[in-house]
Amino acid sequence: EMALAGALETVLVTSAFLQRARHTGTYAAVAAALADAERTKATVHILDTSASEQLERLGGIAGVKRW
């Protein structure tokens, strides 16, 4: 909802989260949300580093609000 409203400045998502979404059949919804975020000028970062381990423990996806 926040991505569609243009309320996000940055979106962080782990590659493991994207892989899980593909396997569970929810990838289309995730891809649509990321496309909405990019369309509203949010920066999307896909993480595949040691920092992604911390984000993975929080669910694998996070957003930083503009306001």
Side-chain angles (χ1 to χ4, degrees):
E1 293 175 18
M2 291 184 359
L4 188 58
L8 295 177
E9 180 178 323
T10 305
V11 178
L12 305 171
V13 62
T14 65
S15 59
F17 178 85
L18 295 175
Q19 289 175 351
R20 273 196 316 278
R22 285 187 183 108
H23 292 301
T24 60
T26 58
Y27 183 77
V30 171
L34 294 176
D36 287 339
E38 287 181 328
R39 185 178 44 76
T40 59
K41 307 294 187 231
T43 304
V44 176
H45 297 279
I46 299 173
L47 304 176
D48 193 20
T49 63
S50 60
S52 69
E53 293 173 12
Q54 293 177 335
L55 181 57
E56 192 62 33
R57 284 187 234 128
L58 295 172
I61 189 166
V64 178
K65 292 172 68 173
R66 288 185 199 273
W67 53 82

